[in-house]
Amino acid sequence: VSRRLRLNAYGEILLEHARRSIAEIRSATERIAALRDPDTGTVRLAFLHSQASWFVPDLLRRFRAEAPLVQFSLIQGAAHELVDALAGGRVDLAITSPRPDGYRWRGLYLERVCLAVPRGHRFAVRTRIRLADAGAEPFVALAPGFGLRQLTDELCTEAGIEPQVVFEAMEIPTMEGLVAAGFGAAIVPVPRPGRAEPGAVYVPLAQASAKRQLGLAWSAERPLPPAADRFSKFVIRRTHEDT
C-alpha cells in the first residue's frame, strides 16, 4: 500500500500468535533462570498513568531494597492498553482499575474521586456536592478507554446527567491544569497531600459510589514467573499492611 508493506488479515492473526509464542518462550527462560538463582529475574509490570507519580514508584523502591537483583520492564497506559498487554503476554502483572474480566485479581486499595472546579467557582465553597448539581457544567475528561473515564460515565449516568465534554485528555494532571484554567469541571481522584493543582478546588462527591478499586491483575491461564510471583506477593502484603 503506497509502496509500503502491510500485513493482511492472515498476517495479523499470525503476528498475534507469534507474539504470544515469543512471550511464552521468554517467560519459560526467565522461570528457568529464576530456579537457578531465585533472587534474579525480570518483572514485567504495567500500571495506570495515575499510579506513576507515587504508588508504583514507592512499591518499586521498597521491593528493590528487598530484592536488589530483580529487574523490571515497565509499561504505563490506559486500562484497555494494560489488558491488551496482559492478553498478549507482554507483561506479567498489571496495576489497574476497574477489574478486568477473565483475569486473576487482588484488590489493593480504594481511591475516592471528587469534583475538581476552578478557584472562585460557585461550587468551590461547598463541602460536598451532588453530581446532578453540576450537570450544566462543561467537563474535562480522560479519553474513552481509560478506567477513570469509564467511572466518570457511570457516575454521570447514575446522577442522571449527560455533561458536555469539552476536552478529552490523556493524563489526570492535564485535566487538573485545564480545570484551573477555567475550561470546566472534572471528576478526578482525591489528590495526595502536596500534589493538588493550586488553581483547582477539590469538592467531595456525595455519591457513595464515587470511588474506584485499584488492584493487581494477572493471567489465569499461565503461571507467573518466579520474580513476578515474588513481586505480586510483596505488593499484596505491603499494601494490606499499609491499610
Side-chain angles (χ1 to χ4, degrees), residues 14-222:
L14 184 60
L15 176 62
E16 176 187 350
H17 287 271
R19 282 175 171 165
R20 290 181 181 177
S21 298
I22 292 171
E24 290 293 340
I25 293 171
R26 184 186 299 116
S27 176
T29 302
E30 291 172 357
R31 291 176 64 192
I32 291 170
L35 288 175
R36 293 174 176 170
D37 185 356
D39 289 328
T40 64
T42 300
V43 179
R44 297 176 299 160
L45 175 68
F47 53 91
L48 296 172
H49 289 288
S50 60
Q51 306 307 303
S53 63
W54 68 280
F55 184 64
V56 170
D58 185 59
L59 287 175
L60 297 181
R61 177 182 57 80
R62 294 183 182 189
F63 182 76
R64 288 170 70 87
E66 180 179 297
L69 298 181
V70 172
Q71 302 297 309
F72 282 87
S73 174
L74 303 175
I75 296 175
Q76 67 174 9
H80 69 280
E81 294 172 333
L82 306 192
V83 174
D84 287 346
L86 279 175
R90 299 192 300 278
V91 298
D92 306 307
L93 301 163
I95 297 175
T96 187
S97 178
R99 177 178 182 172
D101 294 332
Y103 290 88
R104 297 189 184 278
W105 171 265
R106 186 63 179 267
L108 300 178
Y109 73 97
L110 282 173
E111 184 175 59
R112 299 289 303 178
V113 297
C114 61
L115 186 71
V117 296
R119 289 198 175 275
H121 192 279
R122 66 184 188 282
F123 293 152
V125 296
R126 294 199 184 185
T127 57
R128 181 167 296 207
I129 187 172
R130 296 186 313 121
L131 189 54
D133 295 343
E137 296 293 314
F139 267 70
V140 178
L142 291 179
F146 284 82
L148 183 59
R149 174 60 182 270
Q150 180 180 329
L151 176 59
T152 296
D153 292 343
E154 291 171 355
L155 290 173
C156 289
T157 298
E158 182 183 316
I161 64 173
E162 295 184 15
Q164 177 192 8
V165 177
V166 296
F167 185 81
E168 292 180 339
M170 300 301 291
E171 293 186 343
I172 292 173
T174 302
M175 295 169 61
E176 295 174 320
L178 291 175
V179 167
F183 275 74
I187 294 175
V188 298
V190 175
R192 305 289 296 178
R195 296 187 179 275
E197 162 59 51
V201 175
Y202 300 85
V203 186
L205 288 168
Q207 290 167 262
S209 55
K211 57 190 175 184
R212 65 173 180 169
Q213 173 84 68
L214 275 295
L216 188 67
W218 64 97
S219 174
E221 299 178 353
R222 56 181 179 269

